[in-house]
């Protein structure tokens, strides 16, 4: 569940809790247990597992990463990194969800994606150097492994599996940037919102349910940040979808009741 409020993210300072037990292998992250999926606005739902470092990484490689990394506990709503800050490495998500976004000069935000367990955030730099060009915030309570510097570079040079994992993760990030640009440049805001709701219903709703209730809770402000609109516009448009019978509001969740109607609004 995404719970952060409307804060000035650029002014926040991370309140990390640093743990010392970085040498124990977190076998839960290598068990194949399904967690929240990555959420990306694209033509179709992203295959988050294909870009997860845990999908290829064995316990031995993960232990080496924990030996050189710094494990961080980041509460929901706290900044992980902010655009313009000095880049000192990347953050591997062990548990939780991190939202990455850009803040324009006028304060408007555009969300790139919500990244889940097994993904890394903080690119495109990998080992440190330069400055962050995006911001990242913990959407849930997160357990992260910070990696960077010469020790990380040396480990990557020695491990083919780790190098491939980072390459595949970077490819996924590139596809995400491309998908966002394509959606913003070629789809109307109505089409983007309809597409986002369909993606959410497919990835966050029970597969056996014909009218899935989207389990992930997103505020109208958060939806607006993903589709490039205002909160007020999202509120009005969701109400139009509701009156058309395409969705229902169930508590804080959205239920998709007519996916065919939303599909006609996607422009596909």
């Amino acid at each position: 569940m995404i719970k952060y409020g409307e804060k000035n993210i650029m002014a926040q300072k991370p309140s990390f809790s640093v743990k010392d037990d970085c040498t124990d292998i977190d076998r839960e992250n290598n068990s194949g247990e399904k967690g929240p999926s990555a959420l990306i606005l694209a033509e179709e739902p992203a295959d988050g597992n294909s870009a997860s470092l845990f999908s290829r990484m064995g316990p031995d490689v993960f232990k080496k990463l924990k030996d050189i990394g710094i494990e961080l506990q980041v509460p929901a709503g706290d900044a992980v990194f902010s655009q313009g800050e000095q880049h000192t490495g990347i953050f591997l998500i062990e548990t939780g969800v991190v939202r990455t976004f850009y803040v324009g000069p006028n304060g408007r935000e555009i969300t790139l994606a919500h990244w889940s367990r097994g993904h890394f955030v903080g690119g495109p730099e990998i080992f440190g150097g330069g400055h962050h060009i995006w911001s990242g915030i913990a959407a849930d309570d997160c357990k992260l492994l910070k990696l960077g510097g010469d020790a990380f570079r040396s480990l990557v040079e020695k491990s083919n599996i780790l190098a491939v994992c980072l390459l595949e993760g970077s490819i996924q990030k590139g596809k995400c940037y491309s998908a966002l640009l394509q959606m913003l440049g070629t789809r109307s805001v109505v089409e983007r919102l309809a597409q986002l709701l369909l993606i959410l219903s497919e990835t966050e709703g029970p597969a056996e349910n014909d009218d899935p209730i989207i389990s992930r809770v997103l505020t109208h402000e958060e939806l607006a940040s993903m589709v490039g609109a205002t909160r007020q516009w999202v509120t009005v448009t969701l109400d139009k979808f509701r009156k058309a019978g395409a969705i229902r509001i169930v508590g804080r969740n959205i239920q998709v009741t007519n996916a065919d109607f939303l599909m006609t609004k996607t422009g596909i």
Side-chain angles (χ1 to χ4, degrees):
M1 180 182 297
I2 297 178
K3 305 174 183 175
Y4 52 84
E6 300 176 23
K7 301 179 181 179
N8 183 356
I9 301 303
M10 299 301 292
Q12 286 191 65
K13 294 296 181 182
S15 56
F16 295 141
S17 172
V18 182
K19 297 180 67 177
D20 295 325
D21 56 339
C22 294
T23 58
D24 294 332
I25 298 177
D26 184 356
R27 295 188 182 277
E28 179 183 352
N29 287 337
N30 294 281
S31 65
E33 182 178 325
K34 185 178 179 181
S37 59
L39 176 58
I40 300 167
L41 181 60
E43 295 289 345
E44 55 188 41
D47 181 6
N49 188 57
S50 66
S52 168
L53 269 66
F54 295 133
S55 65
R56 285 181 175 270
M57 188 188 305
D60 54 337
V61 176
F62 187 50
K63 182 180 184 302
K64 291 177 181 178
L65 284 178
K66 299 196 82 170
D67 285 342
I68 66 169
I70 301 174
E71 197 164 87
L72 308 170
Q73 301 286 348
V74 188
D78 277 13
V80 178
F81 55 90
S82 296
Q83 64 190 64
E85 287 184 345
Q86 183 71 36
H87 189 286
T88 58
I90 60 173
F91 301 84
L92 176 60
I93 303 172
E94 296 187 59
T95 61
V97 174
V98 175
R99 178 176 76 100
T100 53
F101 61 98
Y102 175 79
V103 181
N106 61 356
R108 289 278 299 274
E109 291 182 11
I110 184 70
T111 293
L112 175 63
H114 293 79
W115 302 104
S116 55
R117 181 173 68 86
H119 293 270
F120 68 84
V121 293
E125 299 287 350
I126 298 292
F127 305 108
H131 296 82
H132 286 288
I133 59 176
W134 296 83
S135 294
I137 186 174
D140 296 321
D141 291 339
C142 289
K143 179 181 178 183
L144 309 175
L145 186 65
K146 184 175 181 181
L147 302 161
D150 293 337
F152 185 38
R153 182 187 293 273
S154 177
L155 182 58
V156 173
E157 290 174 347
K158 296 174 183 176
S159 172
N160 292 335
I161 291 295
L162 183 54
V164 169
C165 286
L166 289 172
L167 179 59
E168 290 182 340
S170 297
I171 290 172
Q172 177 68 16
K173 299 292 188 293
K175 289 181 177 179
C176 184
Y177 300 140
S178 177
L180 179 63
L181 180 61
Q182 291 167 354
M183 293 294 287
L184 291 175
T186 64
R187 299 286 192 91
S188 71
V189 66
V190 172
E191 291 170 340
R192 296 196 294 269
L193 181 58
Q195 180 73 3
L196 179 58
L197 291 175
L198 287 172
I199 290 173
L200 284 166
S201 69
E202 183 170 336
T203 60
E204 306 288 338
E208 67 279 3
N209 194 334
D210 291 335
D211 295 330
I213 296 178
I214 298 169
S215 60
R216 191 189 301 245
V217 176
L218 292 165
T219 68
H220 292 186
E221 186 75 26
E222 292 154 5
L223 290 171
S225 179
M226 291 201 71
V227 301
T230 64
R231 178 189 59 78
Q232 294 85 350
W233 182 90
V234 167
T235 298
V236 170
T237 304
L238 286 178
D239 191 55
K240 290 179 180 178
F241 286 170
R242 181 188 62 80
K243 290 177 179 177
I247 65 172
R248 290 179 60 233
I249 306 302
V250 183
R252 298 181 61 203
N253 300 84
I254 296 175
Q255 180 180 21
V256 174
T257 52
N258 190 339
D260 290 339
F261 175 87
L262 291 178
M263 182 61 70
T264 66
K265 297 295 183 180
T266 63
I268 296 177

